[in-house]
Amino acid sequence: MKPSLLWIFGSLIIAAALSTFCFSQAHPLPGPDVQQIYQRLLPQIDKIPAFDHHAHPGFSDDPDVDAMAAPPDASEALRTRDDNPELIAAAKALFGYPYADLSPQHAKWLVAKKAELKKQYSGTAYFNMILDKINTESSVANRAMMPDYLDPNRFPWVFFADSFMWPFDNTRETARNPDEGVYIPLQEKMLHRWMKQENVSKLPPDFDSYLKFISRTLEDNKNKNGIAMKFEVAYFRPTTFGDPTRDEAADLYARYVHGGIPSEKDYRTFQDYIFRYLVLEGGRLQLPVHIHTAVGIGDYFNLSQSNVMGLESVLRDPRYHSTTFVLIHGGYPLEREAIWLAAMKNVYLDSSFGELAQYPSAFKDTLKMWLETFPDKITFGTDCFPYNEVLGAEESYWLGAESSRMALAAALAEMISENEITEARALELAHAYLHDTAVKLYGGRVH
Ligand SMILES: [Zn+2]
């Protein structure tokens, strides 16, 4: 029987529909084109000016680079050690470092080169020049205070809010382990700096005035170009927060404001209230709340008590829907779980530190999984930090940015090759991750 014209036409439509279906189905493995796609994407991704959502820029002799400090002799994961040879590649790329090692003799060359450049690029020009070299348009400066050598137009300030939770006698807190022996006195110092800033000579006698002092500090920090508040609270106590009443917190304040060592239970209850107060204030003042959510430095960091999932009851609490949360370090190494917290409309993830702790091959898998889950809720950051007087925030910036761009290109190349997304969509996702998603959180205050 001769097929009718209608039958042929019908078959063609079915064939076309089938081929569309085949085209749109994802494959489990990348094809042989994945290398080529990667090579094509990387230079385009390198050209995207980035917004670094989490970094600690500054010189190594500047104590305000962070509100806390690494405990002496803390273990460092392999790639984050200052003998990582990739940091020599960073010095070569940024400064034309001519040697293949960092022997003390050779290190002198690098120190002298940076000193010369600081003269040539005086004031704020030096770190602006570093940002230009790594194609970062602006970078968060998550610092205790801002120095005069960072340009506020390119380094928006994220200040620390933890210290309001430690106003009492901290003898017990400090003695818990050697790490807290370093951290807690620095929190006391930070609280006294906020008190000095607000002309408060001693803790107010009543709880209402204490809360007003906190709010005034936040408002003034916002006026001083602060774009967000940051918590490192995971270093100091568990990240599970109870929900005490204001009266309970006020009673505890009255009991301990003039002295006496709070029991651990009393102190945690008081802190639970202050943390939630700060979170609400972040909503009222449009100051996004950044929270350290990852394993941390120091051998006593308690990952099971202070991991990202401990925050779930706060993050999914509708009372805080006006507060924007940024989960700094994306919960690493629980980043698989953490991405599901971004189901909340007001919760975002920052990938910083993941790109330094992991090599690009592993970080690529992190990014890919995030891009396949909530691609519009993830942001780029380096967590750059000055290592020592030879290797500075400069090399750390370079390694973080390079690693992230490579891993991003590789993740997207696999997704294209596996038929998950088109190349055009991949570039949209790259812009969102490297710049646009984070910038949108600050209502025109950053670029
Ligand atoms: Zn950090």
Side-chain angles (χ1 to χ4, degrees), residues 42 46 49 53 58 111 248 289 340:
L42 186 58
D46 282 343
H53 207 176
V111 173
E248 282 175 81
V289 169
W340 292 96

Side-chain angles (χ1 to χ4, degrees), residues 54 56 142 230 329 383:
H54 181 73
H56 306 274
N142 183 203
K230 161 83 182 299
H329 317 314
D383 201 21

Side-chain angles (χ1 to χ4, degrees), residues 54-56 66 142 230 232 292 328-329 352 383-385:
H54 181 73
H56 306 274
D66 203 330
N142 183 203
K230 161 83 182 299
E232 307 184 293
H292 171 102
I328 300 295
H329 317 314
S352 69
D383 201 21
C384 89
F385 201 96

Side-chain angles (χ1 to χ4, degrees), residues 78-149:
L78 179 69
R79 195 173 181 236
T80 59
R81 295 176 194 166
D82 62 9
D83 63 355
N84 177 359
E86 293 171 289
L87 295 169
I88 297 170
K92 281 183 188 294
L94 290 172
F95 305 110
Y97 184 65
Y99 306 107
D101 61 65
L102 276 167
S103 68
Q105 200 55 35
H106 292 162
K108 277 186 198 152
W109 183 97
L110 189 52
V111 173
K113 180 72 179 177
K114 288 180 184 175
E116 178 195 319
L117 285 169
K118 277 173 218 161
K119 273 193 201 130
Q120 196 184 331
Y121 296 88
S122 63
T124 58
Y126 178 79
F127 267 101
N128 283 354
M129 175 269 292
I130 297 294
L131 288 195
D132 290 342
K133 281 187 186 243
I134 55 173
N135 197 19
T136 292
E137 193 175 352
S138 13
S139 166
V140 158
N142 183 203
R143 297 176 42 102
M145 298 279 174
M146 287 298 280
D148 55 9
Y149 63 81

Side-chain angles (χ1 to χ4, degrees), residues 23 25 53 55 82 103 110 150 186 189 212 301 342 350 375 433:
F23 178 77
Q25 186 166 20
H53 207 176
D82 62 9
S103 68
L110 189 52
L150 292 177
L186 289 170
K189 184 177 159 199
K212 281 198 190 102
F301 186 94
D350 148 77
Y433 164 70

